[in-house]
Amino acid sequence: MTRVYVQTFGCQMNVADSNGLAHAAWSMGCSFVTDPAQADIMLLNTCAIREKAETRVYGRLGQLKTVKDGNPGAKLLVCGCLAEKDRAVMLRKAPWVDALLGPRDYGRFKQVLSEWGVASDEPPPDAVFSLPSAEDDPGESAHAEFAHLRALVNITRGCEKFCTYCIVPYTRGPLESIDPEVIEAQIQHELRCGAREIMLLGQNVNSYHDEATGLDFAGLLVRLGAIGGLDRLTFLTSHPKDFNRDVVDALATLPNAAPRMHLPMQAGSDRVLAAMARLYTIEEYLEKVAYFRERLPGWALTTDIIVGYPTETEADFLETLAVVERGTFESAFIFAYSPRAGTPAATMSPQVPKEEKIRRLQAVNAAQNDATRRFHESFIGERVRVLAQGPSKKDPTRMAGKTGHNITVVYPLDDRTAHAPFADIVAEQAFNWGLAGRVA
Ligand code: 5AD
Ligand code: SF4
């Protein structure tokens, strides 16, 4: 039986793709291993969003060369955005890689496996499909017992917004919306496998549009929200240009929508937003946020921010900082701009010096940490419902899980909680990273 090792870098989209690839391998009779030295095929699903992501992938490829040297029959397959972006250079930089498949090439995956001698067309007997580790750090992967509680379901693929800093439209190609019946069938399948939370995925879910029925994202939410037995429905990512009141209104009618929204702002300066080709002003962005706050009080708003975009001045940066300091977001992912070859911003000048980008990053991070901690503190003494992730990685004598707001909660591991998908917890302590509490 062919043994496959899978390691995933990057976003949830890659995690979902890895699941799909692993399922295809399983359906051809492969099994999975967590140690690459035991594998016949090593699959790395890679990310190219920032330079750091690339550096990590090349570092890992170096380690896997040593593994391959010890097991010369093994094959190394590189998938994902870096496989697409570095198609021309990877085989020179890492000639021990056997094949590359970009995100639009996954239709060829089974063919590659059969060329490598994966002969069977039957899943392994008596085996239920379960991927041991789709996550970045194989040693610290999600606990198998709890991994199926959350399922990722693609609703769109690709992106054609071409924000000037972003490599994704080049690696993942133009937008495609998935047939609502296919989406529904996958959700039903995940629910039968025990999922309690469904996360709808797309680079820009708000541009969902089904040609055949005219269904848009708001309509899709209403349709999917009616599926019985679904505890939590959530989605990632929205583009503020396409995010509209209909989506907020649809969310307000859903009993099972998780109370959180991710709406990447990227910058607080109109000049920078225009340079990024984001297609909205900060005033328009904040208007949408105001409607969201009015209709969905108590929800958590999260965002992505880039500091040090080329030409960003101190005054531009201070506008971004001011939005964060006002406590606009419950949480934020803040990035230093990283030039991506082939995107318009990479050749824009002047580029912001590295030290300056780091200074700006730290300042926005500090402001956001204060806001995030205040948000967490607001739960002290409250009862929160937590979807379990399994024993805490930092302290395996306790359980960890997530609230509907997506706050990490650590709680006692005992007879009541050790195997329970949900736990009701009273929050007792607040930290930057989340909450700790006792069983209610
Ligand atoms: N540099 C830094 N951050 C980037 N992102 C996308 N491209 C870049 C880049 N070149 C960030 C954006 C996006 C998130 C997923 O990654 O904030 O929303
Ligand atoms: Fe990249 Fe912009 Fe598309 Fe998001 S919307 S994937 S930032 S191009």
Side-chain angles (χ1 to χ4, degrees), residues 173-184:
L175 181 90
E176 272 172 62
S177 294
I178 295 169
D179 184 328
E181 298 198 353
V182 172
I183 298 171
E184 256 172 10

Side-chain angles (χ1 to χ4, degrees), residues 49 158-169 203-204 237 239 266 278:
I49 192 95
C159 178
E160 48 199 37
K161 283 280 187 250
F162 288 96
C163 302
T164 52
Y165 49 80
C166 187
I167 193 79
V168 169
Q203 237 71 46
N204 170 11
T237 284
H239 190 295
Q266 310 298 6
R278 287 293 285 177

Side-chain angles (χ1 to χ4, degrees), residues 12-186:
Q12 304 283 32
M13 198 72 70
N14 267 11
V15 176
D17 287 347
S18 287
N19 280 330
L21 293 169
H23 191 272
W26 175 80
S27 74
M28 292 174 77
C30 298
S31 63
F32 301 101
V33 289
T34 48
D35 175 5
Q38 305 295 319
D40 305 301
I41 296 175
M42 299 181 269
L43 188 165
L44 232 53
N45 195 359
T46 63
C47 175
I49 192 95
R50 284 171 290 274
E51 194 183 345
K52 209 162 137 192
E54 272 187 42
T55 311
R56 293 188 58 215
V57 170
Y58 278 107
R60 185 62 176 153
L61 283 173
Q63 293 169 342
L64 294 182
K65 175 179 190 302
T66 315
V67 175
K68 257 194 107 183
D69 290 344
N71 181 12
K75 297 284 192 188
L76 176 55
L77 172 63
V78 178
C79 296
C81 288
L82 193 61
E84 184 62 43
K85 172 180 169 285
D86 277 8
R87 185 169 291 281
V89 293
M90 192 173 298
L91 295 177
R92 184 169 49 74
K93 282 181 161 175
W96 56 94
V97 168
D98 294 288
L100 298 172
L101 289 178
R104 283 170 285 171
D105 304 329
Y106 295 155
R108 290 211 334 264
F109 177 64
K110 285 189 160 194
Q111 189 191 324
V112 170
L113 292 195
S114 55
E115 282 164 15
W116 288 349
V118 179
S120 154
D121 217 357
E122 289 286 325
D126 305 327
V128 176
F129 172 68
S130 127
L131 180 62
S133 152
E135 283 186 22
D136 192 333
D137 193 339
E140 298 201 9
S141 60
H143 294 268
E145 185 187 343
F146 298 91
H148 66 282
L149 295 175
R150 293 176 180 76
L152 305 171
V153 174
N154 271 105
I155 66 164
T156 64
R157 294 188 185 283
C159 178
E160 48 199 37
K161 283 280 187 250
F162 288 96
C163 302
T164 52
Y165 49 80
C166 187
I167 193 79
V168 169
Y170 307 89
T171 59
R172 289 195 172 264
L175 181 90
E176 272 172 62
S177 294
I178 295 169
D179 184 328
E181 298 198 353
V182 172
I183 298 171
E184 256 172 10
Q186 199 194 332

Side-chain angles (χ1 to χ4, degrees), residues 161-165 239 265-284 309-312 316 319-320 344-345 348:
K161 283 280 187 250
F162 288 96
C163 302
T164 52
Y165 49 80
H239 190 295
M265 173 179 84
Q266 310 298 6
S269 141
D270 283 341
R271 205 192 54 75
V272 173
L273 286 171
M276 288 175 163
R278 287 293 285 177
L279 312 172
Y280 54 84
T281 63
I282 190 64
E283 191 184 338
E284 286 163 345
Y309 182 83
T311 76
E312 185 186 73
D316 292 324
E319 289 189 63
T320 300
M348 224 175 250

Side-chain angles (χ1 to χ4, degrees), residues 232 376 378-387 402-405 407-409 411 422-428 435-440:
R232 282 184 187 171
H376 293 164
S378 73
F379 287 91
I380 290 194
E382 301 276 319
R383 189 184 167 112
V384 290
R385 195 161 173 75
V386 177
L387 185 58
K402 294 275 191 183
T403 69
H405 291 99
I407 303 173
T408 299
V409 181
Y411 54 99
F422 281 105
D424 287 314
I425 302 298
V426 176
E428 293 180 312
L435 297 165
R438 61 179 157 83
V439 179

Side-chain angles (χ1 to χ4, degrees), residues 49-50 165-166 264 266 304-306 335-338 340:
I49 192 95
R50 284 171 290 274
Y165 49 80
C166 187
Q266 310 298 6
D304 292 339
I305 292 172
I306 298 176
F335 308 105
Y337 169 70
S338 169
R340 306 285 67 210

